[in-house]
Amino acid sequence: MKKVIVFLVCAVVLLVGDTVHDKSGIELPSFDAKKDYEQGIAFHKNKEYDKAFELYKKACDGGDMRGCRSLGVMYDNGFGVEKNEQKAVELYKKACDGGDVRGCQNLGVMYEYGIGVEKNEQKAVELYKKVCDGGEMFGCYNLGTMYAKGSGVEKDFGKAAELYKKACDGGHMRGCGSLGFMYDNGNGVEKNEQKAVELYKKACDGGEMRGCFNLGIMYEDGNGVEKDFGKAAELFKKVCDGGDMRGCYNLGVMYANGNGVEKNEQKAVELYKKACDGGEMHGCYNLGTIYANGNDVEKDFSKAAELFKKACDGGEMNGCRSLDLIYRLKVNE
């Protein structure tokens, strides 16, 4: 009953546009500030960034920390204003200090990667912990990842698994996928491929493409589940359509070999190209090999060399080796 009474009192005060404080001393936003924030969101969604920026600023100045955080996002990305990462950091800090845990989350990312501020992984860990303790599951996920990598904290797979589980149980699908990976590899938990499959499926069903991709690998290899190339191809297609180029590449391999789908090298070429254009260097390498060998395309060493170079520059060592071979062949012609 006490909570209801407090809420009603606050509602009355906010309706008259005053600023009040809760028992923690954090300033609560005025009714007008909350309204400005909500209107700003609507304009932001319509990409009317100038109007959104103006409303976020009014909301922030009126004490709605969500407005400060969203204003930071505008500066962070250059939406409706010149990009200014230092200003974004300042606004995320204001939001975080004012009790907006999503502001803390964004500030943590800036510290983790050194964007607009000197890189400080320990500070990022501190902020992610604050976010996680505040009930936001993406903070738990990010904190788990810091423990898994040993960034800003001593590496601890057990702690990472615990945090991924908390995130997963709280509805954060990346947490489920990452926990599945821990079970898949026996990191911080006893290896259990069936459990990994279950978690990858949960992540995939929740729209997390990395979960779908890993689930596809499990079906392709028959780990934790009966081998099923058709199911693997179906999952790789979902991943590809979802914008993850690894799915496009793997689906291309399925078409090239006729696994789970009817063999179709033209389709494989199309998928490798999509993967390559999307930054998946394995796709560039395989496409280069097709041009070098003249498989279902006209043989073109120049095109092959171009693709091998792109793959090599992107860190695909097979591309480097193949590029060297082509140069040697040209020298000996």
Side-chain angles (χ1 to χ4, degrees):
M1 185 63 181
K2 185 177 181 182
K3 288 185 179 178
V4 175
I5 293 171
V6 170
F7 172 79
L8 290 175
V9 170
C10 290
V12 172
V13 175
L14 294 177
L15 284 172
V16 298
D18 291 333
T19 299
V20 298
H21 292 76
D22 68 6
K23 291 182 180 179
S24 67
I26 294 175
E27 191 174 277
L28 297 177
S30 68
F31 175 77
D32 288 340
K34 292 172 71 176
K35 185 178 178 182
D36 288 334
Y37 170 74
E38 289 162 4
Q39 289 179 337
I41 289 290
F43 281 116
H44 195 152
K45 286 180 178 176
N46 288 330
K47 297 185 178 180
E48 296 180 65
Y49 296 132
D50 290 344
K51 292 179 181 177
F53 180 88
E54 180 184 336
L55 286 160
Y56 288 152
K57 188 174 188 310
K58 286 176 67 178
C60 180
D61 292 343
D64 192 322
M65 294 300 103
R66 298 173 301 172
C68 302
R69 182 233 309 156
S70 296
L71 197 58
V73 171
M74 304 292 274
Y75 277 108
D76 200 352
N77 295 280
F79 292 151
V81 66
E82 187 175 349
K83 186 179 176 77
N84 187 331
E85 291 167 342
Q86 291 78 15
K87 184 68 174 176
V89 167
E90 177 187 322
L91 285 158
Y92 291 151
K93 185 177 187 308
K94 181 175 180 179
C96 180
D97 291 345
D100 180 71
V101 290
R102 295 194 173 199
C104 301
Q105 162 71 15
N106 287 4
L107 185 59
V109 171
M110 304 301 266
Y111 274 108
E112 182 181 355
Y113 295 101
I115 302 170
V117 68
E118 188 175 349
K119 183 171 181 173
N120 188 331
E121 292 178 337
Q122 291 81 7
K123 183 67 175 177
V125 166
E126 176 189 324
L127 286 160
Y128 292 149
K129 184 177 187 308
K130 183 174 181 178
V131 177
C132 182
D133 291 345
E136 290 287 359
M137 292 302 104
F138 45 74
C140 303
Y141 168 77
N142 279 9
L143 186 58
T145 300
M146 299 299 273
Y147 275 103
K149 295 188 300 182
S151 299
V153 68
E154 189 174 346
K155 183 180 286 190
D156 187 335
F157 285 133
K159 184 67 175 176
E162 176 188 324
L163 285 158
Y164 287 149
K165 184 178 188 307
K166 182 174 180 177
C168 179
D169 291 345
H172 194 287
M173 293 301 103
R174 283 195 176 185
C176 301
S178 294
L179 183 60
F181 188 80
M182 304 296 270
Y183 276 105
D184 197 355
N185 294 278
N187 292 335
V189 292
E190 188 175 348
K191 184 178 175 75
N192 186 330
E193 291 177 338
Q194 290 78 15
K195 183 68 175 177
V197 166
E198 176 189 323
L199 286 159
Y200 288 152
K201 185 177 188 308
K202 182 174 180 179
C204 181
D205 290 345
E208 174 52 49
M209 291 301 103
R210 285 186 289 186
C212 300
F213 178 79
N214 285 348
L215 186 59
I217 296 291
M218 300 300 269
Y219 274 106
E220 184 180 18
D221 295 338
N223 293 332
V225 68
E226 188 175 346
K227 184 178 287 193
D228 187 335
F229 285 132
K231 184 66 177 176
E234 177 188 323
L235 285 159
F236 291 147
K237 183 179 187 308
K238 182 175 181 177
V239 174
C240 180
D241 292 345
D244 187 327
M245 294 301 105
R246 295 176 304 167
C248 303
Y249 167 75
N250 278 24
L251 185 58
V253 173
M254 304 294 273
Y255 273 105
N257 295 303
N259 290 335
V261 290
E262 187 175 347
K263 185 170 182 173
N264 185 330
E265 291 185 344
Q266 290 83 3
K267 184 69 175 176
V269 167
E270 175 188 324
L271 286 159
Y272 290 152
K273 184 178 187 308
K274 182 174 180 177
C276 179
D277 291 344
E280 175 50 61
M281 295 301 104
H282 289 61
C284 302
Y285 169 72
N286 278 20
L287 188 58
T289 301
I290 286 173
Y291 275 104
N293 294 326
N295 294 336
D296 285 289
V297 296
E298 186 175 347
K299 186 177 288 190
D300 187 335
F301 283 126
S302 294
K303 183 67 175 175
E306 177 188 326
L307 287 159
F308 288 147
K309 184 178 187 307
K310 183 174 181 178
C312 178
D313 291 344
E316 172 51 64
M317 290 301 101
N318 286 325
C320 303
R321 286 188 282 270
S322 295
L323 183 61
D324 179 65
L325 180 59
I326 283 183
Y327 285 148
R328 289 172 183 272
L329 288 171
K330 284 188 175 182
V331 167
N332 292 326
E333 282 181 353

